[in-house]
Amino acid sequence: LSFDPAQPANAKATIDVDLASIDTGSREADDEVAGKLWFNTKTYPTANFVSTGVKPLGGNRYEVAGKLTIKGRTRDVVAPVTVTAQGNLATFDGAFSFKRTDFAIGEGAWADTTTVANDIQIQFHILATGGK
């Protein structure tokens, strides 16, 4: 993560998520979503986001555009982000949504969006420490 509020056009972010870290609250469900029909974590162990641009919206609000890759499929996403700085610390809070079928999450019998919703909402809270 590289962010200077005085130069938002130069901001960059790369985020990797270990998909094996998914915790559904049930061991059986954890095993199911790690399987081939869902995230296929043996073949695709991480989801990845790489920013492509940051646009200031005023105050401490920004719009972050980027590429989200899950299961080898990449799609464009845009997230409104609020940045709160306190001394050497900053928090980045935001959210975005996507369609799970765009990434083949829930294949086979699980592809039916009446059983499991197609719309996925991602909310994030990132705490960063300033420095070079």
Side-chain angles (χ1 to χ4, degrees):
L1 174 66
S2 175
F3 178 78
D4 178 351
Q7 299 178 349
N10 296 333
K12 294 182 174 140
T14 300
I15 300 168
D16 293 314
V17 177
D18 176 7
L19 294 175
S21 70
I22 292 173
D23 183 355
T24 65
S26 159
R27 173 108 171 118
E28 184 178 334
D30 292 348
D31 290 343
E32 178 68 28
V33 299
K36 285 185 179 182
L37 297 180
W38 288 95
F39 287 103
N40 193 2
T41 59
K42 287 184 181 174
T43 303
Y44 306 102
T46 60
N48 174 264
F49 172 82
V50 176
S51 65
T52 57
V54 175
K55 179 172 112 179
L57 299 177
N60 62 343
R61 297 177 315 115
Y62 300 86
E63 183 178 87
V64 178
K67 304 279 186 185
L68 177 65
T69 302
I70 303 173
K71 287 182 78 175
R73 292 164 175 83
T74 302
R75 301 289 186 268
D76 293 323
V77 297
V78 176
V81 177
T82 301
V83 179
T84 306
Q86 290 184 338
N88 203 31
L89 297 175
T91 58
F92 298 80
D93 292 290
F96 64 92
S97 60
F98 63 87
K99 305 281 188 202
R100 69 178 176 85
T101 54
D102 287 348
F103 295 93
I105 300 169
E107 297 180 81
W110 294 109
D112 177 9
T113 58
T114 59
T115 304
V116 177
N118 195 27
D119 293 321
I120 304 296
Q121 176 78 23
I122 302 294
Q123 296 177 347
F124 57 89
H125 174 81
I126 299 169
L127 177 61
T129 303
K132 305 243 183 228

